Structure formats: C-alpha cells, structure tokens
C-alpha cells in the first residue's frame, strides 16, 4: 500500500467528516449545540438517495440533471430535519441536548426505514441494499486523466467533485465567519445573544439560518457517504460519522479552515487499519488506532479548558437557550 | 397635552409570549396527554400513508408483540429504566452526562473480560462477585474522569462524555479482536463461568434490581442529604457556595454514582442475560435514557412509565414488522422520535402562555 | 411644539413610568437638555435616574408623557430608534462581546454601510484622535481594562453619529486618573457641539464637569440649576431632601461588647482592581451597625468576605465568642468551616433568589439550606424545617398558599421574610443583612426593621447595609460610611445628619479629583 493510496483513502473518508464538521461549526457558532447532526446527515443521505433512485429508475440518466436532483432532494431532507430542531429549540425553547439526541434517533430511524422500504420494494423482502450504481457512478466520477498522473493525480485529482465541494464550502464558511458582516453577527449571536439583540441583530433569524444551512451542509456529507464512499444504501450507512464530525469541531477549535486537515487526519486514523499492513499493526490492534481520534479530541478539550485562551473556547452561549427577558 | 399622541411600539408583535403561573397538576397532565395523542395520530397517519397498513391493526400487533412474551419485554424496560435512573442524579445537577452508553459498556466490557480471564480459575460465585465489582468500578471511573475535569477546569462535559462512549466501543472491539477468534465474536462459549442467575430465570434479577433502584433513587434524590446537595448545586451554584457546599466534591461524587449504576447495568446485561458482548450491547439506550430521565422530570416512578412506553414502541414495532411488509424494525425509532418531539415541544406550553396581539396594559388607560 | 426652542437637544414633558401597579419609577418628569451642554443627572439610588435614561434610549417606553428631540416629538421603541434620532447611551454594564476586537464591537449591528473593517478602523482612529481616546481598534475586549471598555462603548455611540450622549454612572468603575481623562473627552465632545447627560451621584464630579444639574428624588424631578450657582451642600440638600421621620422604635444599646473585629481588610477582584481598601471596624453586640455608601462601593464584597465566600488579600477578621470570649480567626475560612467552629454568623445576601434561597425549592426545603447537615443520618429530617417554615409563615405573616410552594412564586416581601426568618432562626450572634428592605412595601419593611431591632435587643451584633439614609439614621446605632471600597467615616446615627452622611458617601478619602 503506497503512501499516495493512504492519503487518497483518508481524504475520501475525511470528506464525509468535513461536510459534517463544517455544518456543525456553522450551527454551533449560533450557539446551538446540535447533537442531531448524525440524524440530519441521515436525512440528507436518504433524501438524495431517494431522489437519485427515482430519477435513475426513469431511465435516460443525464449526469448533470442527476446530480442536481440528488443534491436538491438531499438538501430538502436535511433542511426538514434541521427545521424540526430549530422549531423545538429556538421557537419552543426546548433543551438542545434532548432535542438533538431525539433528532438523531428519529433521523436514523426514518432514513433506515425509508431506505429499507425502498430496498424491499425493488429487491423483494430479502434484499439488503439498493442498486443505485448509475447515480453513484456519476457522483464518484473523477477527472478522466487523473489516473495518468501517477501519485500526483491520485492525491490531488482523483476524487468525486463532492470532495472539492466540501473544501470549497469549508473555505467559504471560514471566510464568511472571519471576514463578513454576516459572520461577525453570527458569531456575536453565539457568543452573547443579549448583546447581539441589543445591537439590533435578529437572534432568532440567525439561529434558524445558521442551523438550517449548517444542517444542509452536513446533509451533503450524508449524501456523499452513501453515494460515493459506500456507493449504495444499506442500513446504518453513515455509521458513526456524525459523532466523529462533532469531535472534529472540537478538535479544530471551531474553525472551518482547520477542519480540512482535521477531517482528513481523522479520516486517515479511521481507515488506516483497513489499508495499512504493517507487522506491528496487525488486525488485533486496529481498535486502538480507531480509538485515537476520540482520545485526541478529549485531550484537545482538556487542553483548551486548561489554557482558557479565548480564541479556542467554544462559543460562550453554546447550548444555552436565549429569549429576551419579558419587560 | 395629547396623551394619545404617544405611539405604542410601531410593530407590536402579533403573538406575545409570557411566563405563566404554575398550572395545576391536572392541566399539566392534560397538556402532555394532548401532545401524546397528537403524536399518536401523526404516527397513525405515517403508518397509513408510508406503511400502507391499517394503523389499528398495527397497534394491535404491537400490543401482542409486547405482551406475548412479557418477561423479556419487562427486562428491556428494566434495563432502560436502570440506565435512566443512573443518569438522573447527574442531570438533576445540570451535568450533561451523555456518556451513559459508554459507562454501561465499560461495565459490560470489564464483566466479559473477567469472565474470560478468571472463569474456571476461581469458583463461579467468586467470579460473579469480582465481575460485579469490576463492572461497577469501571463504570464509576468512566463517570469520574469527565466529572473531575468539569469540576476543576469546567471542561465541557457533554462533548467529553460523548467521546468517552467511543473509547468504550473501541475497547469492546479490541476485546472482540483479541479474544473473539477469527469471527470476532465473544459469546456464550467464551462467557461460561460466573453467570449470574436465579432459579434459572435470567430476567428476574435485572428486573428486581431495576425496581429496587427506582425506589432507592427516589428516596436518595428526595430524602437524602446528598440528594439535597445535588438539587442545590443544580439549581444555583451560588447558593451552594453560600451555604458552604463543596461543589467540586458533589459533582465528582454524583458522577461516580451515575457511572457506577451504569456499570452495574452493563454487568447485568452481559453476566446475567446476554452471556456475550458486542459494540451494540447497550444499543443506544444510554442516549434514550437521557430522554426518559428528562421527560420524566427526574422522577423515578414516572421513568418507569416512560421506559415502558419506549420499550413498548420498540418491541411492538419489531413484532409488527414481521406481519406488515412495509413496516420494519426501524419504524420504532420513527415512532419514538415523533412522540418524543411532541412531548419535548409541549413543555413550552406548560411554562409559557401565548396571547394574541397587544398586551393587556393598554386597557388600563 | 414651537420652533423657537431649537437650543434644546432634548426635552421631556410629563414623563411617567410605572412598574407594576405600585412602583412609580418616574413621576411627571419635565427635563431639558440644551444643545452643547453637559447636564448632570443627580440622585440617590432608586431615584429613577436610570429608568428615565432608559426611556430616552429606547429600552423602556414611557407610560405617559412625551419626548422631544431637536424640537420634534420622538417615538423611541428600541435602541436602534434612539440612534436614528442621534441619541446614544453608554450603559453601566457594558454590552460588548469579549472575543471581538474593539472595531468589531463598534460596527456590530450596523447595516447601513459596507462591511469594511479597515475603513471602520480608520474612522475609529479619526474619532479617537478627535476626542482624545487612546484605544487600539484591533485589541480584543477581554484584554482591555474597564476604562478601555468604556471608551469602546463611547466610541460605539459616536461612530453611529450620536450627538446626544447619555452616560450612566461612567465614573463608577474608574480610578480618579481615568475619570479625569474621561472628563477631558467629555469636554472635547462638548466643544464639538455634542449634548451630554451624565448620571452620577458623586458631587465633586458634578461640580467638575457639568454646566447644569438636574436633581431627581424618588422618581420626581426636583429642579435643574446652573452648576456655577450652587455648592455641594446645596446639591446634597436637594438630593436627599428633608429628613423624613419614620418612627422606627430604636432602643439604647445594652451590654455592648466587641463581637466582630475587622482589621486592614483588602480585597482585589478578578481583574486585579481593589474593591476593599483597608477596611477597619468593630461590630458590637446589642447594636446595629449600618453601612452606607452608594451602590457598588464594596458593600457586597465586604459582607461576602466576612461570610467566607471570598478570600481577602490581606487583613484580619476576628470573631469573639460570646460564651467564653475566645477569639476565632475567620479569615480564609469557608462558610462550612466557620459554622463548624461554632461561629453563629447569619447572612442575608443582597441576591435573595440567586444566593440566599433556591427559587425552585419550596419554603420547607429552603429552610433546610442552613440546617440540612445536622445529625448523623444520611437522610434528611424535614420535620424541624417544616415546623420552622410554619412558624415563620405564621409569625412573619408570609402570604403563601402553603409551606410547599416554591419560593419563586412568592412576592418580593414574602421572599425576604422567608430568608430573614431563616437566618435569624439559628439564634445568630452576628447577623449581616444586605439591603434587606430593597423592593419591599412599607409594611414588609417595618416587619424587617422590627426583626432586626429584636435581634439587637437579644444581644446580636447586627450589620445592616442600606441605601435609604432616613432608614439608616433611624434604625442604626452607628453608621459606617464607605466610598470606593474605603471607610470614609463612622458616625453616631443619633447625632449624624443626612447631609453629613451624604457627603461622606461621595467623598473619596484620598486622591479626590
């Protein structure tokens, strides 16, 4: 197994995490700790898969149309999920953790259920996965000449367009957060909603928009994972990617640009055991390597709380509901 | 002076939300019941439209599924209840422990390890006792670690405990790899010695333990000095300091208790019923327990009902899945999700009232 | 309105604001601010200064009356509306986001111009240079001192183009040197044609900075006078008003003995600013020692330090046990340790529901806060607390549906009765009460006065932190006056005058500006 291959697989897996983590960062910047992100990723995945499958079943697949339909239906799926979270936590002031965990249960269940129903309708009672090869191939396609460029092509050019989309979204998110008024105001809402409110910023609107946009980005991660990484729909297709994405948010101290290397690093740690056959890393010790991302995240969490450096702290009002005191 | 000229807020909000006084118990139950009924109606519609089945028949099948094999069903309720009880003291203290999954799983893991390592080398009852102790201590440690960092450095406990879950899961994977042989299974053949059983009936002990735990937890929270300290710390850390409660000590002690109970549950699952372990031995119940505890307002007796409801939906959906082609086991999570959303949402209407348009103050003039 | 009064930047006519049905914060206030002047708003705590300013800046809406800005009737429903009229307020509690830079905070919420931090920084520097602020626009708020944060708040207002500025007690958090700098800024702003209102209760500052003074008392506008025409003592008279007789029965202290001796107490807050400055006093049994001072002079910190909630930097707190006259060192002891030493110290904190009581717990469980540890059993014994709750409800006439009602559902006066009742139930030898009658109606207030007097007659050393000078003068035996964390005098309450105490409250001991 060459070094280039490891990088390739790390990025291929890391892309799912990059979508998820970028989405969660945008959400958390508004002060919403959305533990429903795994559920939302399922929502995005199943939305896209259902849309793609329906389109593909009609025959005459136009690649561009297929991509558009998949992405749009994925966005609808994750948007609906995010709206449930927003309505409960922002409008009805419900507890964020309880709502988020419920959303994860619900999203996972709903996606699995719809997926299984689709699988059964197509393949009969015994089928376990869905044939979405055509759509999946379109999504997985990389530049045709990437193969001819050796390791360079493998590392830089051989991914689905969605991998580049993830990088672009993360970079745009970083720039928006750092350089624009919208970013400034969003950060203000997450840091100190009362001050933001006093400055005339519509806190509710920002929370809704950030959570929904963040959720939709994470949903794309779900879509990518099903169509490009796994390349089919099976039960529990996303696995633990949602939680891993939340870990990356902490690991990269709430910075979307740092997320890019962070997600690839986590991705690498996660797939290393599958693709690396070194004598000291025989199968038995795989779980230790898989444990690493979580251990590292905890260490980052602890170090951050020790150092109390203000730039690396979570948004100050993360997890807390906000409502203006009645006068 | 024309007082009418003083304009009221130009854009008077259409809906005014304000905190309401305490509602009588009857009304509180009524609001929750209304939420539950609405949720069930939505569920029925989903069954009708998506599942293409008669909801009444599906509900009937669910009832049959739950009650036809009553003991395992009650055992499932007991396990969920046990974990819910475990997380409750921490939540009452406003410590967001979402690591019950991991705390129970390390309990299960240590139980399995002890069964493998000591099984056959010591008399079975001794092994059982060591399993119990090991599981409880392991769960306790899993709880104390994040509590310690929270108490001294305010490290975010929600994310910390979440990560601890996955370390526990990978710990189980390690066991499966090391001891599981080529198929990576740690099951009955390996976990032979030290099984906990009473009258050859595996379910009795866990059910009894959960029942006792519910009563003990009720009194611990309501009647004990430690339970009182937990309430004070949870309500107001300032007050706790004012009367001289050592907040750090209470935080760590409470999480030790939470973790220990989780470890106990893990022990009962592996050593008492499953005689095997996988990464899904706890199966998300560590998370579901949070909802159970929170929706029950931290009241152990209401938790019995809530756990019952959730297990009913799970078991019921499983059984319905075998009869209706378009309903499957995942459908239970959809139903649970919908019902929980409604119950979570209805809390708002218990705390606040909404009235239309302008406030009543205007009328005074 | 006629157009001849263009020299007025702002005019209030018959402005009244009520909170609930009983509290009238402002009653029929007429006030005017001339263009290009500095108007000081002077008044005691609770005289309605801040409420009045909040109505001008859009936080509250007046119940009655009208506000004219530059001659036009103004409808101000939000701080944003206020800005559109050119009114900007700098609050006592800064509304800044810690992790943002000064520039980011200053432009936050502005939607009318392109988002360009470089351009904003340039304009901020321009404003800074013009008025003499020395603020680095790129500096993060959490790295700033209090006075820097205040400057950011003022620039924020100027940046939005305000020409009517309201400063709410801007000097409360400043050192004399910083105050002088701020005054220079204010003078420059006046030269530039801005109209400024400054809320304060420090007389020497009024004399130093203002052109005119508007005095408020108990929500009413007493008068507006030219600063040059008055002296500090005239203003004090206007501010505190005639002495009002309250008829609080005051017994002569009997069998007094030293009970609590505080020596050389110094305390710095988290930011390293000194909040207690070499405090020395003795509280005696059978006597009520009043503590007077404007809000935030260190009263809270003093009591919390004695109660063991804060650790002093230097100094001694010695308790003399009434039974055997032995001395107990309370310094650096936690509340639990203090109790374990057998020191019977009771403390009614200022923050009743946030510290003294747990709002969501019922009266019985709140009674237990002090006593729950008693006994060896690991379980609670609620019976004594229940008895105590019933006794307090009965003897203090607490209006509550039952002893099992959460205390947050009680009215302010009843909450206070529950708290004071509990604190005196343990038969204390020292009783400290911070603002025990704040927000209470007359009857409840008298109940509390009587309770304190009863304690005094029982030989308790009572420390009473109050804000109403009339009450302090009639209730206490001695009054210790503090200003800026330092003791400015200890006077005999029977002979002291309101003006004398008022002057001590506003006079810094050293380094007065």
């Amino acid at each position: 197994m060459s070094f280039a291959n490891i990088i390739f697989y790390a990025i291929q897996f890391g892309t799912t995490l990059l979508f998820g983590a970028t989405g969660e960062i945008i959400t958390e910047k508004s002060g919403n700790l959305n533990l429903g992100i795994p559920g939302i990723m399922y929502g995005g995945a199943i939305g896209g898969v259902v849309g793609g499958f329906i389109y593909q079943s009609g025959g005459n697949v136009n690649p561009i149309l297929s991509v558009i339909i998949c992405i749009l239906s994925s966005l609808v799926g994750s948007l609906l999920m995010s709206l449930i979270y927003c309505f409960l936590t922002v409008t009805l002031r419900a507890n964020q953790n309880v709502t988020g965990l419920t959303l994860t249960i619900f999203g996972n269940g709903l996606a699995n259920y719809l997926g299984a129903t689709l699988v059964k309708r197509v393949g009969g009672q015994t089928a376990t996965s869905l044939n979405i090869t055509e759509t999946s191939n379109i999504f997985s396609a990389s530049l045709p000449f990437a193969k001819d460029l050796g390791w360079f092509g493998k590392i830089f050019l051989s991914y689905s367009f969605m991998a580049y989309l993830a990088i672009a979204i993360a970079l745009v998110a970083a720039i928006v957060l750092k350089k624009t008024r919208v970013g400034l105001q969003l950060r203000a809402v997450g840091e100190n909603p009362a001050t933001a409110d006093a400055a005339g910023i519509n806190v509710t609107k920002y929370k809704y928009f950030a959570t929904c946009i963040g959720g939709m980005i994470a949903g794309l991660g779900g879509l990518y994972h099903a169509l490009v990484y796994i390349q089919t729909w099976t039960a529990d297709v996303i696995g633990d990617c949602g939680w891993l994405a939340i870990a990356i948010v902490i690991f990269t101290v709430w910075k979307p640009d740092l997320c890019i290397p962070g997600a690839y690093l986590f991705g690498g740690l996660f797939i290393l055991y599958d693709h690396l056959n070194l004598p000291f890393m025989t199968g038995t010790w795989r779980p230790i390597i898989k444990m690493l991302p979580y251990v590292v995240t905890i260490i980052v969490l602890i170090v951050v709380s020790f150092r109390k450096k203000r730039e690396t702290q979570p948004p100050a009002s993360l997890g807390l509901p906000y409502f203006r005191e009645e006068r | 002076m024309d007082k009418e000229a003083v304009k009221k807020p130009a854009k008077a909000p259409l809906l005014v939300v304000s905190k309401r006084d305490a509602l009588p118990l009857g009304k509180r139950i009524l609001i929750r019941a209304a939420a539950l009924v609405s949720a069930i109606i939505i569920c029925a519609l989903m069954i009708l439209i998506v599942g293409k089945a008669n909801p009444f028949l599906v509900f009937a099948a669910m009832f049959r599924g739950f009650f036809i094999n009553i003991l395992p069903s009650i055992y499932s309720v007991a396990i969920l209840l046990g974990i819910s009880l475990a997380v409750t003291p921490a939540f009452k203290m406003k410590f967001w422990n979402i690591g019950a999954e991991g705390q129970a799983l390390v309990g299960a893991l240590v139980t399995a390890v002890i069964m493998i390592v000591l099984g056959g080398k010591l008399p079975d009852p001794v092994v059982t006792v060591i399993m119990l102790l090991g599981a409880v201590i392991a769960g306790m440690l899993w709880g104390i670690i994040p509590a310690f960092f929270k108490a001294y450095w305010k490290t975010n406990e929600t994310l910390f405990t979440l990560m601890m879950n996955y370390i526990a899961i990978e710990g189980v994977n390690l066991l499966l790899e090391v001891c599981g042989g080529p198929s990576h299974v740690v099951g009955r053949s390996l976990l032979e010695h030290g099984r906990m059983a009473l009258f050859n009936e595996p379910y009795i002990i866990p059910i009894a333990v959960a029942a006792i735990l519910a009563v003990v937890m009720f009194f611990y929270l309501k009647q004990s000095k430690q339970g009182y300290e937990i309430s004070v710390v949870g309500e107001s850390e300032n007050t706790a300091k004012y009367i001289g409660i050592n907040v750090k000590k209470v935080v760590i002690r409470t999480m030790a208790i939470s973790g220990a109970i989780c470890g106990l549950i893990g022990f009962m699952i592996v050593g008492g019923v499953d005689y095997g372990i996988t990464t899904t031995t706890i199966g998300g119940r560590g998370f579901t327990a949070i909802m159970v505890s929170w929706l029950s307002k931290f009241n152990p007796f209401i938790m019995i009902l809530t756990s019952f409801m959730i297990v009913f939906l799970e078991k019921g959906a499983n059984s319905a899945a075998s009869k209706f082609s378009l309903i499957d086991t995942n459908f239970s999570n959809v139903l649970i999700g919908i019902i929980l959303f409604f119950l979570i949402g209805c809390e708002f209407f218990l705390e606040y009232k909404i009235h239309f348009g302008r406030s009543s103050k205007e009328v005074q003039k | 309105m006629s157009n001849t009064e263009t020299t007025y930047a702002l005019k209030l006519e018959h402005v009244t604001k009520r909170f609930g049905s009983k509290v009238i914060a402002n009653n029929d206030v007429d006030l005017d601010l001339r263009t290009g002047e500095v108007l000081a708003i002077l008044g005691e705590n609770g005289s309605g200064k801040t409420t009045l300013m909040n109505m001008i800046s859009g936080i509250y809406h007046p119940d009655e009356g009208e506000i004219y800005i530059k001659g036009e009737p103004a409808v101000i429903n939000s701080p944003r509306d206020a800005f559109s009229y050119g009114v900007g307020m700098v609050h006592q509690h800064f509304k800044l986001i810690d992790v943002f830079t000064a520039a980011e905070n200053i432009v936050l919420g502005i939607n009318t111009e392109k988002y360009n931090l470089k351009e904003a920084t340039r304009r901020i520097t321009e404003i800074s240079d013009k008025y003499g602020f020395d603020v680095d626009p790129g500096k993060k708020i959490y790295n700033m001192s209090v006075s820097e944060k205040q400057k950011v708040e003022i620039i924020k207002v100027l940046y939005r183009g305000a020409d009517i500025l309201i400063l709410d007690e801007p000097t409360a958090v400043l050192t004399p040197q910083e105050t002088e700098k701020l005054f220079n800024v204010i003078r420059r702003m006046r030269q530039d044609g801005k109209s400024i209102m400054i809320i304060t209760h420090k007389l020497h500052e009024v004399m130093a900075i203002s052109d005119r003074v508007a005095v408020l008392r108990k929500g009413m506008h007493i008068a507006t006078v030219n600063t040059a025409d008055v002296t500090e003592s005239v203003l004090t008279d206007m501010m505190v008003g005639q002495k009002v007789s309250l008829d609080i029965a005051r017994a002569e202290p009997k069998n007094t003995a030293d009970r609590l001796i505080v020596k050389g107490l110094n305390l710095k807050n988290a930011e390293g600013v000194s909040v207690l400055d070499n405090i020395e006093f003795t509280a005696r049994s059978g006597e009520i020692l009043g503590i007077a001072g404007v809000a935030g002079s260190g009263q809270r910190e003093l009591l919390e330090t004695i109660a063991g909630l804060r650790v002093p930097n230097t100094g001694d707190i010695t308790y003399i046990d009434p039974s055997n006259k032995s001395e107990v060192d309370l310094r650096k002891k936690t509340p639990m340790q203090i109790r374990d030493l057998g020191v019977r110290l009771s403390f009614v904190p200022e923050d009743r529901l946030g510290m003294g009581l747990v709002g969501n717990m019922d009266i019985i469980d709140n009674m237990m806060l002090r006593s729950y540890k008693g006994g060896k059993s690991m379980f609670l014994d609620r019976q004594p607390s229940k008895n105590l709750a019933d006794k307090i409800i009965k003897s203090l006439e607490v209006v509550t549906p039952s002893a099992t009602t959460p205390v947050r559902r009680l009215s302010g006066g009843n909450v206070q009765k529950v708290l004071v009742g509990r604190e005196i139930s343990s038969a204390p030898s020292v009783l400290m009460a911070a603002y025990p009658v704040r927000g209470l109606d007359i009857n409840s207030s008298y109940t509390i006065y009587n309770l304190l007097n009863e304690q005094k007659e029982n030989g308790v050393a009572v420390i009473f932190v109050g804000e109403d000078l009339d009450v302090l003068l009639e209730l206490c035996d001695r009054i210790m006056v503090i200003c800026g964390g330092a003791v400015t005098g200890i006077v005999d309450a029977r002979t002291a005058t309101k003006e004398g105490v008022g002057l001590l409250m506003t006079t810094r001991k050293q380094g007065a500006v």
Side-chain angles (χ1 to χ4, degrees), chain A residues 286-303:
Chain A
R286 291 169 177 182
I288 301 269
I289 297 171
K290 281 177 85 177
M291 223 181 253
L292 272 178
Y294 303 110
V295 175
V296 169
T297 302
I298 288 180
I299 292 171
V300 169
L301 202 56
I302 293 172
V303 169

Side-chain angles (χ1 to χ4, degrees), chain C residues 12 15 17 19 25-26 29 31 41-61 89-93 95 166-170 197-201 216 219 295:
Chain C
L12 303 183
V15 167
K17 177 74 189 170
F19 292 107
N26 290 121
V29 173
L31 199 72
I41 310 286
L42 183 67
E44 287 184 298
N45 295 314
S47 57
K49 307 182 295 272
T50 300
T51 309
L52 192 64
M53 295 304 119
N54 279 340
M55 280 189 277
I56 302 170
S57 65
I59 308 248
Y60 297 137
H61 194 87
M89 179 157 173
V90 176
H91 294 269
Q92 236 178 325
H93 301 285
K95 292 182 158 63
I166 303 169
L167 309 176
D168 189 3
E169 299 201 21
M197 285 204 248
I198 172 169
I199 301 180
T200 181
H201 37 224
L216 294 185

Side-chain angles (χ1 to χ4, degrees), chain C residues 60-217:
Chain C
Y60 297 137
H61 194 87
D63 293 332
E64 286 166 34
E66 284 184 74
I67 301 172
Y68 296 90
I69 293 172
K70 290 158 204 153
E72 299 293 321
V75 181
I76 308 171
N77 288 324
S78 70
R80 214 166 247 230
D81 288 351
F83 275 125
S84 70
Y85 286 108
V87 175
M89 179 157 173
V90 176
H91 294 269
Q92 236 178 325
H93 301 285
F94 303 141
K95 292 182 158 63
L96 295 170
I97 289 174
D98 272 359
V99 294
F100 284 8
T101 63
E104 286 173 330
N105 267 294
I106 289 166
V107 301
L108 188 68
I110 298 180
N111 287 325
T112 48
E113 58 183 42
K114 204 171 163 291
Y115 181 73
N116 182 344
L117 271 185
K118 260 201 193 123
E119 170 62 17
T121 305
R122 196 191 57 73
R123 273 188 55 203
I124 292 164
T125 316
E126 208 177 271
I127 294 172
S128 293
D129 292 346
K130 187 169 175 189
Y131 298 111
F133 297 104
D134 44 350
V135 166
D136 172 7
K139 197 171 175 183
K140 295 267 165 86
I141 300 298
Y142 62 80
N143 282 328
M144 290 188 172
S145 69
V146 181
S147 78
E148 280 178 292
K149 289 180 193 171
Q150 185 179 61
K151 285 172 195 159
V152 174
E153 284 283 13
I154 297 174
I155 297 174
K156 202 161 111 183
V157 167
L158 294 171
Y159 190 92
R160 284 161 170 72
D163 48 16
I164 301 171
L165 282 87
I166 303 169
L167 309 176
D168 189 3
E169 299 201 21
T171 60
V173 291
L174 301 182
T175 64
Q177 292 75 20
E178 289 167 344
T179 304
E180 192 42 49
K181 276 190 188 166
L182 173 70
F183 284 178
N184 284 332
V185 168
I186 292 177
R187 288 185 192 112
R188 286 195 203 194
M189 292 196 290
R190 175 174 56 190
Q191 272 169 23
D192 195 44
K194 311 265 182 205
S195 319
I196 297 148
M197 285 204 248
I198 172 169
I199 301 180
T200 181
H201 37 224
K202 295 181 186 166
L203 290 172
H204 60 100
E205 294 178 358
V206 171
M207 304 307 289
I209 189 71
S210 69
D211 300 308
R212 292 191 305 151
V213 196
V215 182
L216 294 185
R217 190 170 72 224

Side-chain angles (χ1 to χ4, degrees), chain B residues 178-195:
Chain B
V178 173
C179 302
S183 58
H184 306 310
V185 171
V186 173
R188 286 174 178 265
S189 55
L190 275 170
L191 305 184
E192 223 179 310
H193 296 279
R195 294 180 178 180

Side-chain angles (χ1 to χ4, degrees), chain A residues 8 54 57 73 81-82 94 98 119 145 151 157 171 197-198 208 233-234 256 259 270 326:
Chain A
F8 171 77
I54 292 172
S57 318
S73 52
M81 290 291 193
S82 308
V98 174
V119 167
F145 52 84
W151 63 268
L157 302 173
L171 289 177
D197 195 5
Y208 259 89
W233 177 271
T234 56
C259 253
F270 227 67
E326 286 94 17

